[in-house]
Amino acid sequence: MGARARILVINPNSNDVVTQGLAEAVAPLASPEGPAIDCVTLAEGPFGIESQADVESVTLPLARRVARDPADAYVIACYSDPGLAVCREATSRPVLGIAECGILTAMARGDRFGVIAIRTRSIPRHLRGLRQMGVVSRLAGERALEMSVAETASGEGTFARLVEVGTALRDVDGADAIVLGCAGMARHRAPLEDALGIAVIDPTQAAVAMALGILARG
């Protein structure tokens, strides 16, 4: 019997609470017969990735982690998809970014998707990614919580704010699917979907699901 396959989910910030939330979010995707899904924290990263400078600061540390930590597939668990290109150069194995996977999944669930960002200043960075993907025409809108990564993961009042912003994306912007634009929001996906009545995509779950599909195809 061969060694069990492994998917390595890397949280590029140094907040272990976010990593724990990721582990809880992807736990339902694991099975005894399937690949192991390991969620780890990039200790060298900032406490939250909230600016372009933060994105750039983790690019090479991520590539080094991918190069030295063997896995069958890797997931970069930050909605800015930091270091995605350089990490793909560091390994012959699949490397998936959660923003790309979350957006692709949302487009499979609805005609127009909305994104909930942590801060307004994150939105131009996200829009660059959408332009690179060529999917701006499917974007209904992006609205910000105006919270930090840490607050989205464990702060009080986060869920109420998610409902408020998600409702505006649905009713004002016309989104029929919503992507959570930060890995720290993972624990809120299911209750937010219940509250809004439309598909809510946790991008880390989407990326791990795609990794499982890729590995199942061999």
Side-chain angles (χ1 to χ4, degrees):
M1 182 180 295
R4 186 182 184 189
R6 178 184 186 229
I7 298 170
L8 184 65
V9 180
I10 307 174
N11 170 23
N13 71 52
S14 56
N15 187 340
D16 288 326
V17 173
V18 172
T19 306
Q20 181 59 38
L22 298 174
E24 293 170 0
V26 302
L29 301 176
S31 68
E33 301 80 18
I37 305 171
D38 294 335
C39 297
V40 299
T41 303
L42 188 73
E44 307 97 306
F47 196 66
I49 295 179
E50 300 178 5
S51 68
Q52 190 62 42
D54 292 334
V55 171
E56 303 298 341
S57 74
V58 298
T59 296
L60 293 180
L62 278 169
R64 288 192 290 268
R65 181 63 185 259
V66 166
R68 73 172 185 263
D69 199 339
D72 297 277
Y74 299 86
V75 171
I76 307 302
C78 169
Y79 196 77
S80 294
D81 283 351
L84 192 56
V86 72
C87 287
R88 286 172 173 165
E89 289 184 346
T91 179
S92 61
R93 301 295 186 176
V95 181
L96 305 178
I98 67 169
E100 283 190 351
C101 295
I103 291 161
L104 292 171
T105 302
M107 291 193 300
R109 297 293 307 276
D111 180 50
R112 301 180 71 220
F113 66 92
V115 178
I116 300 179
I118 54 170
R119 296 192 188 278
T120 298
R121 67 181 184 182
S122 303
I123 295 176
R125 185 168 67 252
H126 296 167
L127 289 175
R128 287 197 296 272
L130 293 177
R131 288 193 294 271
Q132 290 175 347
M133 292 179 68
V135 298
V136 174
S137 64
R138 299 281 296 275
L139 176 69
E142 180 163 359
R143 294 173 180 259
L145 299 177
E146 305 302 356
M147 291 180 166
S148 68
V149 173
E151 286 172 328
T152 66
S154 57
E156 294 185 7
T158 300
F159 183 70
R161 180 66 178 145
L162 282 164
V163 172
E164 180 183 358
V165 173
T167 299
L169 285 168
R170 182 193 65 192
D171 295 347
V172 178
D173 300 326
D176 45 22
I178 288 175
V179 184
L180 300 177
C182 177
M185 303 178 195
R187 67 187 65 215
H188 302 296
R189 189 209 67 80
L192 184 62
E193 185 169 272
D194 290 341
L196 297 178
I198 60 174
V200 175
I201 310 302
D202 173 63
T204 306
Q205 289 179 336
V208 170
M210 288 192 187
L212 289 167
I214 291 169
L215 296 182
R217 294 198 306 268

